[in-house]
Amino acid sequence: MTQDKIVNAKDDAQIRIAAKILSEGGVVAFPTETVYGLGADVFNEKAVCKIFEIKKRPSFDPLIVHVSDPAEASLLWTDIPPLASQLIRYFWPGPLTLVLPKKAAVPDVVTSGLPTVAVRMPRNDAALKLIRYLGHPIAAPSANLFGYTSPTTAQAVFEDLGEGVEMILDDGPVPVGLESTVLKIEGTLCRLLRPGGVSLEEIEKWAPVVSTDSPPAGVYESPGLLRSHYAPWTAFTLFEGSSEELLKELKQLEETLKEKELPLPRIGLLSFFEKPKSSFFEAVEVLSAKKDLVEAASNLFQAIRKLDKMHLDLIVALKTPREGIGFAIMDRLEKASSGKKGFQDFLENWKR
Ligand code: TXA
Ligand code: MG
């Protein structure tokens, strides 16, 4: 596979080529401030269908539409209530996606048949230029295989989708590192569909936010709420205790395995700030040595991808505080570990 699909997002001529590909019904990957996106012209149904094919994304999972100017939202939404206008004024461009009733012009493939459409204005120059040069908003999910960790570098996009995508605009590692916050606006109410780059504390300065618990089975109000998402291939578990408690558990495991003359599992640790000095871990990825949640978020997906490449038996993640963007970090860690064996289960089943 060649890497010449990866081109410099700072080069205006390349952005123009990317816009031409989109105008001809193609699909390109581009940077945003949150994660890389896989884009198509929102009004070109066939092109939008290609996104679902390339990502192996089920057709029931709707896309976010990206605009280059708040005024463009009126091409997509039937009405913009005052609460939405206020949030837009405050948070766009930025990692906040709003869901509101859609205009008929927005194809059903984009919204998976839902009567609403999710829209945001990204805070990235190349993304904004790409939309402007195309002259239409761009429908784009994260540029990863469905269910896997979102890409925060052009290289990660290439690894996941290299075959399927015509061009990847490379703007280096993204600054936020987590997907946008998705809010559904219902009158004067904001309902949280996905925590993300804008924290609840920030949004609540403007409007109260109602959280959505997991929907009943079979109901996909927002498929991003699906359990087991953002997950690496390696068994992954979020350890609820402290690092000391984890080391204690591992010490016990070591003794049991010694008695049975069994090998220790190869474990990778995904740690918020600590770097425990322990031979238990084959690798340790520290998200932010200075305990900065914003820095931790920006490193999260790259760290998971790095550990996932090491053919470990298990990745164990330690908690972060659930405040600010830490709330979204914990959401991703929980989704990555759900559906997989928990730590105790893993230990009990190891080499049985
Ligand atoms: O930061 C981001 O949001 C990135 C960049 C590329 O913009 N995009 C992204 O897209 O994360 P994706 O497709 O991976 O996630 C879109 C989320 C999904 O959880 C989807 O279910 C939800 O938005 N969504 C989209 N349209 C919706 C709608 N009409 N109603 C409810 N949820 C919707
Ligand atoms: Mg995604």
Side-chain angles (χ1 to χ4, degrees), residues 68-244:
S68 65
D69 187 295
E72 278 168 28
S74 55
L75 298 170
L76 307 161
W77 288 329
T78 51
D79 178 44
I80 306 179
L83 175 57
S85 302
Q86 193 174 21
L87 292 171
I88 287 171
R89 219 174 302 128
Y90 204 73
F91 292 108
W92 283 11
L96 180 68
T97 296
L98 300 179
V99 175
L100 279 163
K102 79 171 188 78
K103 279 196 167 162
V106 180
D108 284 338
V109 278
V110 174
T111 64
S112 303
L114 290 175
T116 52
V117 62
V119 180
R120 82 179 192 97
M121 178 177 171
R123 192 171 59 221
N124 176 283
D125 286 344
L128 296 174
K129 280 186 181 172
L130 185 63
I131 300 163
R132 280 184 206 128
Y133 294 165
L134 172 66
H136 289 165
I138 293 177
S142 50
N144 52 286
L145 289 171
F146 181 71
Y148 195 63
T149 312
S150 295
T152 54
T153 62
Q155 192 59 36
V157 177
F158 184 77
E159 284 165 14
D160 272 23
L161 309 176
E163 304 275 4
V165 63
E166 278 180 66
M167 191 181 209
I168 304 170
L169 289 168
D170 182 0
D171 200 20
V174 296
V176 177
L178 281 182
E179 301 86 348
S180 61
T181 304
V182 181
L183 283 186
K184 190 167 181 183
I185 308 290
E186 291 166 343
T188 54
L189 204 87
C190 294
R191 211 129 65 81
L192 178 69
L193 299 184
R194 178 178 72 183
V198 175
S199 72
L200 286 183
E201 290 91 330
E202 285 173 86
I203 297 165
E204 291 205 307
K205 287 181 195 160
W206 303 95
V209 179
V210 182
S211 287
T212 302
D213 293 327
S214 294
V219 177
Y220 297 114
E221 180 169 26
S222 181
L225 296 172
L226 275 179
R227 295 195 160 272
S228 191
H229 219 98
Y230 312 108
W233 306 115
T234 313
F236 186 99
T237 183
L238 174 62
F239 187 75
E240 287 295 336
S242 65
S243 61
E244 291 79 18

Side-chain angles (χ1 to χ4, degrees), residues 232 234 236 267-271 282-285 301-312 314-316:
T234 313
F236 186 99
I267 298 178
L269 181 71
L270 184 68
S271 166
E282 189 92 12
V284 179
E285 284 294 315
F301 288 152
Q302 197 55 15
I304 292 178
R305 279 178 180 257
K306 207 166 151 192
L307 292 172
D308 202 21
K309 282 187 189 143
M310 296 185 66
H311 306 288
L312 300 161
L314 177 70
I315 300 169
V316 182

